[in-house]
Amino acid sequence: MSRLGLAARALRLTLSRTHADTTPDYDAASSSYDSYFSPVMGVHSLAALGEVTIKPGDDVLELACGTGHLTHEIVRRLEGRGSVHAVDKSPGMLAVAQAKILPDTLRAPELDVSLQEGDMEEFLRDRPTASADLVVVGWAICYSKPVKLLEQVKRVLRPGGRVVVIETRGDALKTLIDQLEKVFAADPSLLTGLVRVNLPKDAATVARWFAKAGLTVDVQRDGHQVLPADTPEAALEWVQRSGAAAGFKDAVDHRREDHALELIRAGLAEHVARNGTLELRHTFAVVTGTSPSTPSAGTGPGGRHREGVGTA
């Protein structure tokens, strides 16, 4: 078969609205997420959060809080006053987050903290207008209609409120994605569902989403992180245990999941044999913005741009 056959298969799945659910993969990765994703990409999440000011007494909303890596830091910066209301679709991830955050809330009775299971767009729609000082969206805007989500973010922000987004770019893990596409192109029947994901090309793309939603862009930057995976086996283990392969379980014929993984592993092994290395880069974009109801202290719609680089 060819990429044309894969495209035809994808079109049929799109027309039939056969979409893969990412939740099973995140549930499966919840116990290992903080051993795989957080130690590698968490530093970039924290750096993104560092682009905005969090003051004691602020009201913060966090979308797709995962295991609470950023939630814990937000709570720390609030110093016992204010509120954090977070949401995530994965029960497994939330269970880890709740165990992590609960001790913090017991020590800070004046801090209002809630973590709930649900869809982030519905979560925002239920929030009152002009009720938040900061909205944090970590590695999750890709699972939404970005402009529509950011319009809701703008609505819930108070005048001068801030939003920070960090998201995987469309060219992330290119070597691995290329092998995945080759496997599906060779046998499109392996594909039983489509993962609905809107990965941005770069930070400028995310900045345009902000502008369309009526948010002023303050910071935009791109970065990358080389993954600590130099063998095909280590690469597959990392993307599965970190949640980076979310949607795979539901997108592939369950009866042939192991077969598909072996084909991908073999393809990666051939890549290493040809090139002598397997360098997987997790590229990402960071953008922060301000509710335009009051003059922004930022640099305007273009924001400031710089390249951020991390290495394993």
Side-chain angles (χ1 to χ4, degrees), residues 37 40-41 44 139 167-169 171-174 223-227 238-239 242 244 279-285 310:
F37 192 87
V40 178
M41 301 306 299
H44 303 296
W139 313 105
E167 186 54 270
T168 300
R169 289 185 358 183
D171 58 356
L173 311 180
K174 186 176 185 304
H224 75 264
Q225 173 69 51
V226 178
L227 298 188
W238 195 89
V239 296
S242 69
E279 184 180 86
L280 290 179
R281 293 189 172 205
H282 192 137
T283 54
F284 60 90

Side-chain angles (χ1 to χ4, degrees):
M1 298 290 278
S2 65
R3 292 185 182 275
L4 183 60
L6 177 58
R9 175 76 169 175
L11 178 60
R12 285 195 295 272
L13 292 171
T14 299
L15 293 175
S16 64
R17 297 187 178 183
T18 307
H19 300 296
D21 185 2
T22 59
T23 304
D25 287 284
Y26 280 118
D27 284 341
S30 61
S31 62
S32 56
Y33 188 88
D34 285 336
S35 298
Y36 284 80
F37 192 87
S38 295
V40 178
M41 301 306 299
V43 62
H44 303 296
S45 302
L46 293 174
L49 191 64
E51 298 282 8
V52 294
T53 301
I54 300 177
K55 306 183 303 296
D58 278 351
D59 295 311
V60 182
L61 302 179
E62 185 182 4
L63 309 182
C65 64
T67 60
H69 182 71
L70 282 178
T71 320
H72 185 268
E73 180 62 15
I74 293 167
V75 167
R76 186 188 73 80
R77 296 186 189 189
L78 287 174
E79 298 180 2
R81 293 188 290 115
S83 69
V84 185
H85 298 293
V87 66
D88 199 280
K89 289 187 73 173
S90 165
M93 289 286 194
L94 278 174
V96 176
Q98 287 166 346
K100 188 181 297 181
I101 304 304
L102 181 59
D104 294 326
T105 61
L106 294 177
R107 290 192 293 267
E110 295 182 25
L111 185 63
D112 180 14
V113 178
S114 68
L115 287 79
Q116 69 183 65
E117 182 182 340
D119 177 81
M120 57 186 176
E121 293 183 56
E122 293 177 2
F123 172 81
L124 280 180
R125 284 196 293 268
D126 290 340
R127 307 303 304 181
T129 297
S131 61
D133 298 295
L134 173 67
V135 177
V136 179
V137 195
W139 313 105
I141 198 170
C142 65
Y143 298 123
S144 71
K145 294 180 179 178
V147 175
K148 184 177 179 181
L149 183 77
L150 289 168
E151 287 173 345
Q152 282 297 316
V153 168
K154 177 190 172 188
R155 182 188 64 79
V156 302
L157 284 174
R158 294 187 175 112
R162 306 291 299 281
V163 54
V164 56
V165 170
I166 183 169
E167 186 54 270
T168 300
R169 289 185 358 183
D171 58 356
L173 311 180
K174 186 176 185 304
T175 302
L176 179 59
I177 297 302
D178 285 348
Q179 294 304 321
L180 181 66
E181 290 180 351
K182 287 179 181 178
V183 167
F184 285 144
D187 185 0
S189 69
L190 283 169
L191 190 65
T192 58
L194 294 178
V195 180
R196 289 185 292 183
V197 62
N198 293 302
L199 294 175
K201 178 182 178 182
D202 51 23
T205 302
V206 181
R208 287 193 290 272
W209 293 343
F210 273 53
K212 288 180 180 179
L215 293 161
T216 299
V217 173
D218 299 320
V219 171
Q220 64 180 77
R221 60 181 172 85
D222 294 280
H224 75 264
Q225 173 69 51
V226 178
L227 298 188
D230 54 6
T231 67
E233 294 77 14
L236 289 176
E237 180 181 27
W238 195 89
V239 296
Q240 290 180 90
R241 291 183 178 272
S242 69
F248 182 81
K249 286 183 179 295
D250 206 37
V252 176
D253 185 340
H254 294 176
R255 299 164 299 177
R256 295 187 288 165
E257 180 181 341
D258 289 342
H259 173 63
L261 288 171
E262 174 54 30
L263 291 175
I264 296 168
R265 188 207 64 79
L268 292 175
E270 290 178 6
H271 175 88
V272 173
R274 287 193 309 270
N275 299 279
T277 185
L278 177 64
E279 184 180 86
L280 290 179
R281 293 189 172 205
H282 192 137
T283 54
F284 60 90
V286 174
V287 178
T288 73
T290 306
S291 172
S293 300
T294 58
S296 169
T299 56
R304 69 182 190 272
H305 187 282
R306 62 185 184 275
E307 179 76 12
V309 179
T311 56

